[in-house]
Structure formats: C-alpha cells, structure tokens
Amino acid sequence: MKCKIQIRHEKSMDINGDKVRVARAEKGWTITEMADKSGVTRKTIGQIEKGSKKGIRFSTIQQIAKTLGRSIEYFCTHIENKNEEGDK
C-alpha cells in the first residue's frame, strides 16, 4: 500500500514491462486488444513491454493495472522519494 501512496505524488514512474507482457498474455490478449480495452495506445503498450518507455504517467499505469486486474504495486520497479536529494 505504501507504494501506491508514494506513486500518486509523482508525475511519472517506471514499471516492469515484462510483468505487463506476461499479465497481458495470461489474458490471451494481443497488444491491440489490450490497447482497445485499456484506452492506452498500442504504441505505448509496446514501448512499455520492450522497456523503452520510461517515466510513464501514473494515470497510464493505473489504467493498465485496472485493465489487467492487477494492483499498481505489482508493476512498480522504482519509487523515487521526492526528498531523496535533500536527505543526503
């Protein structure tokens, strides 16, 4: 739960593209079907799965997680503390 709270305060986040690909495949969906169901573009989903898209908006990962029936935390790869620089 802590992950979700921190993410909401960030404008973007990084997610595990392999987890997105596997969750989509478990549903038996193509990238196009996933795009149609989630409202996220096919191009964006493809980039996420390949790992070439970084700093994904919270609303995008929220929509992907909801469509795939998973928690946002399941897809988290990095949570950045806004005060990280100041805490050193």
Side-chain angles (χ1 to χ4, degrees):
M1 193 63 158
K2 188 175 182 181
C3 177
K4 187 182 286 188
I5 292 167
Q6 290 178 346
I7 292 168
R8 287 190 178 150
H9 294 98
E10 299 295 325
K11 291 182 181 178
S12 61
M13 61 180 281
D14 291 333
I15 62 172
N16 186 319
D18 289 334
K19 287 186 175 184
V20 173
R21 183 179 39 77
V22 169
R24 177 183 56 77
E26 286 174 352
K27 296 273 190 187
W29 297 340
T30 64
I31 291 177
T32 301
E33 289 170 319
M34 174 67 186
D36 290 344
K37 293 174 188 304
S38 69
V40 177
T41 67
R42 185 183 185 289
K43 179 180 177 181
T44 297
I45 294 169
Q47 289 174 333
I48 290 169
E49 290 186 3
K50 289 178 188 173
S52 61
K53 183 140 181 94
K54 301 294 180 195
I56 300 144
R57 287 189 324 232
F58 176 77
S59 61
T60 300
I61 186 55
Q62 185 177 35
Q63 195 58 33
I64 288 171
K66 180 180 175 184
T67 303
L68 292 172
R70 303 284 178 124
S71 68
I72 293 168
E73 294 87 353
Y74 175 79
F75 297 107
C76 290
T77 60
H78 177 73
I79 303 303
E80 185 176 295
N81 183 345
K82 285 185 176 183
N83 296 321
E84 219 169 67
E85 292 297 317
D87 291 343
K88 290 183 180 179

